[in-house]
Amino acid sequence: MAKKPDFRPPLTDATGKLPPRDTDLEEVVLGACMLEKDAYMNVCDILVPDSFYDPVNQKIFQAITTLGFNQRPIDMMTVTEQLRQDGTLEEVGGAIHITELTARVYSAANVEYHARIIAQKYLARRLIAYASTIETKAFDESNDVDDLLQEAEGQLFDISQTQLKREVTQIDPVINLALEQIQTAANNESGLSGLQTGYTDLDRMTSGWQSSDLIIIAARPAMGKTAFVLSMAKNMAVDYNIPIAIFTLEMANVQLVKRLISNVADLEGEKIKSGQLTNEEWDRLNSRIRTVYSAPLYLDETPGLSITELRTKARRLVREKGVRMIMIDYLQLMNATGLKLGSREQEVSTISRSLKALAKELNIPIIALSQLNRSTETREDKRPVLSDLRESGAIEQDADIVCFIHRPEYYTKSSEDAEGNDIRGLAQLIVAKHRSGAVGDVKLRFVSKYAKFENWEQGYNVLQETLSETPLKLGSKMNNAQLDSPMPPSPFSLGSPLQSGGMPDIMPGPGDADIPF
């Protein structure tokens, strides 16, 4: 007759300490699962076979898990038979040991509590192994420290994800929360329940960007993805004082801010680069840039940003700066360093899924820009569709809202469409997916020389007339400066705030381009 092998894993680690474990409690849980039919259902979302320290107990729980997955009864006889089919019955001590496990248990009343103790000890062992591995690699000077940090963050993120369990909530408190949000929206003069973007038709369609939503804004190159989110960030941070964080993986902070200056001051990008401005343009720049200094707009230019880095920085921004929305330019430039993935498609899927999880955790909207594949270029109809999203279908699946930027003028090279409609400056924001609302097109106006997007009804011609008459009296709050107020010195002259470090968050100087995390 077979008996249980007298075997235990190594009892000490490299420091000579005993790893956290309780093999007696493991056997009690196994016996309870075979004694009462509901016991396994109470622990199946808490434990996995690796949660058990003793390899014998791991094999037994694997057999129990197989039975549960196949919706078969779990008792002493069925577990014994499953172990026989797995070829591991003799390894665990035979049928006699299975009988001994059930004999040790009189009730399964506390099985869930016991399972949580086992799960905590398993987590502690994983953390010990993780710390030991990182310590060993840190002593090896051939390892790059930055790569090691990324690996450490990835492993810790992987461990933490296994512990994100939420209890079932009865509907009453959720109803109360929903009613509070409805009342808040009703009391809001704009009638929006989410964050206002400054684009009237878009806000009407979405009721503002909603908390915990993942919003994907995709387009082919040169359609104006960065210009759109930058224009929107200006509206939200400057006009509505909403704290915004932008993670720009494609360009440096200073480049981004120069585009912001062009947007705010209605100055051509080439003139911003060269500094060849007329006196009137210097005055306009000095007047309009003042409101941007104190804007709650935070920039990060970390190249190749990993999802674990983003998670750490986003948590800190929300906690310390009160950030209410995050923008990422753009998704395909991120990576999942530290996580073992088989392909780039799996990596993009993991990033997309993690962004959605982060939006839910922080309860803020996250906007991620995305590239489209080349299929739009080969079709007669250049309007993007959901299948054009590049590298992973998971982006479409995980996103709450998917928007495409399409500019017909770019493809037709004409000022009119087939019906004779004027399409100069027309930009269509195509809401192709909206999990909790309508889909459709939002007409915007793209002012290419200022790299900015406006509401369509503002009218570019009206804007030009306004600029020629009273260049400082536009509709935006940013432009409500008084003509008779004293002008500050040129931002490129000695003694100006930009030279003296007067704007650390929005206009970093050389070597100080990132926000202090």
Side-chain angles (χ1 to χ4, degrees), residues 367-384:
I367 293 180
L369 302 188
S370 177
Q371 292 281 20
L372 296 178
N373 57 43
R374 296 177 181 272
S375 59
T376 57
E377 307 295 336
T378 61
R379 296 196 304 261
E380 183 176 351
D381 183 3
K382 306 298 184 182
R383 279 174 60 94

Side-chain angles (χ1 to χ4, degrees), residues 76 116 129 314 458:
M76 180 180 65
R116 294 193 183 280
Q458 283 182 247

Side-chain angles (χ1 to χ4, degrees), residues 1-7 55-56 59-60 79-98:
M1 182 180 294
K3 64 176 183 178
K4 181 184 176 183
D6 184 16
F7 172 78
V56 169
K59 290 181 174 66
I60 296 173
V79 171
T80 301
E81 179 59 28
Q82 184 62 48
L83 287 166
R84 185 178 288 111
Q85 292 180 15
D86 294 341
T88 57
L89 181 59
E90 298 304 315
E91 296 178 27
V92 303
I96 188 171
H97 178 56
I98 303 302

Side-chain angles (χ1 to χ4, degrees), residues 469-493:
E469 296 172 5
T470 53
L472 300 180
K473 291 185 178 180
L474 296 178
S476 168
K477 296 179 184 178
M478 178 180 296
N479 304 314
N480 288 340
Q482 295 298 322
L483 288 172
D484 57 355
S485 60
M487 295 294 181
S490 162
F492 298 99
S493 63

Side-chain angles (χ1 to χ4, degrees), residues 98-359:
I98 303 302
T99 304
E100 290 173 350
L101 290 176
T102 57
R104 296 189 59 181
V105 182
Y106 297 100
S107 170
N110 300 319
V111 65
E112 184 175 347
Y113 179 77
H114 296 157
R116 294 193 183 280
I117 294 175
I118 295 172
Q120 289 295 310
K121 293 185 181 298
Y122 170 55
L123 178 60
R125 293 197 301 273
R126 289 188 66 186
L127 288 171
I128 290 170
Y130 148 80
S132 177
T133 301
I134 295 301
E135 180 184 26
T136 301
K137 292 185 176 182
F139 275 110
D140 186 354
E141 295 186 0
S142 65
N143 290 321
D144 182 80
V145 175
D146 291 333
D147 292 341
L148 189 58
L149 283 172
Q150 292 294 314
E151 180 183 349
E153 287 181 353
Q155 290 184 11
L156 191 58
F157 174 71
D158 191 32
I159 293 173
S160 67
Q161 285 294 93
T162 63
Q163 300 303 305
L164 293 179
K165 308 289 186 184
R166 294 200 177 188
E167 298 298 327
V168 175
T169 303
Q170 200 269 340
I171 194 172
D172 289 0
V174 183
I175 291 177
N176 293 334
L177 179 59
L179 290 175
E180 288 178 9
Q181 292 179 354
I182 294 171
Q183 186 61 51
T184 300
N187 295 335
N188 190 336
E189 292 182 1
S190 65
L192 305 180
S193 57
L195 301 182
Q196 192 169 352
T197 67
Y199 298 118
T200 309
D201 292 339
L202 178 61
D203 288 337
R204 187 181 299 116
M205 179 176 291
T206 63
S207 293
W209 297 137
Q210 303 295 314
S211 299
S212 79
D213 274 3
L214 173 61
I215 300 133
I216 300 296
I217 297 176
R220 289 292 295 156
M223 286 294 106
K225 295 187 298 295
T226 302
F228 175 71
V229 295
L230 196 58
S231 297
M232 183 166 55
K234 185 269 293 182
N235 293 344
M236 299 176 74
V238 177
D239 293 356
Y240 306 121
N241 201 38
I242 299 172
I244 304 292
I246 302 178
F247 289 84
T248 169
L249 289 74
E250 192 172 28
M251 63 178 67
N253 282 348
V254 171
Q255 290 178 295
L256 196 70
V257 169
K258 285 181 179 179
R259 295 187 65 168
L260 179 66
I261 292 173
S262 175
N263 186 308
V264 170
D266 289 329
L267 295 172
E268 296 180 33
E270 292 301 320
K271 290 190 174 183
I272 294 293
K273 291 179 184 178
S274 66
Q276 302 301 309
L277 306 180
T278 66
N279 290 337
E280 184 274 331
E281 289 170 336
W282 278 116
D283 290 343
R284 190 193 315 162
L285 171 59
N286 281 315
S287 176
R288 298 186 187 178
I289 201 66
R290 287 181 298 183
T291 54
V292 182
Y293 279 105
S294 57
L297 190 56
Y298 304 94
L299 307 179
D300 184 284
E301 61 178 3
T302 304
L305 183 72
S306 71
I307 188 63
T308 47
E309 282 183 299
L310 173 67
R311 191 183 189 90
T312 300
K313 292 184 176 184
R315 283 172 170 170
R316 193 173 300 173
L317 280 165
V318 171
R319 183 177 64 251
E320 298 178 2
K321 305 293 186 180
V323 163
R324 297 178 61 191
M325 189 172 78
I326 288 173
M327 300 177 176
I328 301 166
D329 184 12
Y330 58 90
L331 186 148
Q332 280 84 2
L333 290 179
M334 296 185 66
N335 66 71
T337 303
L339 302 179
K340 296 180 180 179
L341 301 168
S343 66
R344 176 58 182 168
E345 182 177 352
Q346 290 179 335
E347 186 173 24
V348 172
S349 298
T350 299
I351 293 169
S352 171
R353 187 166 57 252
S354 299
L355 288 178
K356 174 56 184 175
L358 183 61

Side-chain angles (χ1 to χ4, degrees), residues 349-482:
S349 298
T350 299
I351 293 169
S352 171
R353 187 166 57 252
S354 299
L355 288 178
K356 174 56 184 175
L358 183 61
K360 289 186 65 177
E361 176 191 339
L362 300 178
N363 197 34
I364 63 173
I366 292 181
I367 293 180
L369 302 188
S370 177
Q371 292 281 20
L372 296 178
N373 57 43
R374 296 177 181 272
S375 59
T376 57
E377 307 295 336
T378 61
R379 296 196 304 261
E380 183 176 351
D381 183 3
K382 306 298 184 182
R383 279 174 60 94
V385 294
L386 288 171
S387 59
D388 294 330
L389 285 168
R390 184 174 168 184
E391 289 187 310
S392 177
I395 298 175
E396 174 189 346
Q397 176 182 329
D398 296 326
D400 296 280
I401 298 177
V402 177
C403 300
F404 300 116
I405 299 174
H406 177 58
R407 293 196 289 115
E409 184 182 17
Y410 179 84
Y411 291 106
T412 63
K413 308 299 181 183
S414 170
S415 61
E416 295 182 348
D417 61 13
E419 288 76 29
N421 299 314
D422 189 351
I423 58 172
R424 288 176 296 176
L426 173 63
Q428 296 171 328
L429 186 68
I430 305 168
V431 181
K433 177 187 176 182
H434 191 185
R435 199 186 300 275
S436 57
V439 297
D441 293 1
V442 175
K443 290 177 66 175
L444 298 174
R445 188 175 300 278
F446 179 63
V447 186
S448 58
K449 65 178 181 179
Y450 302 148
K452 68 187 294 184
F453 283 78
E454 305 171 332
N455 284 304
W456 177 256
E457 62 271 13
Q458 283 182 247
Y460 182 50
N461 293 331
V462 175
L463 173 64
Q464 291 287 41
E465 292 173 5
T466 306
L467 281 175
S468 64
E469 296 172 5
T470 53
L472 300 180
K473 291 185 178 180
L474 296 178
S476 168
K477 296 179 184 178
M478 178 180 296
N479 304 314
N480 288 340
Q482 295 298 322

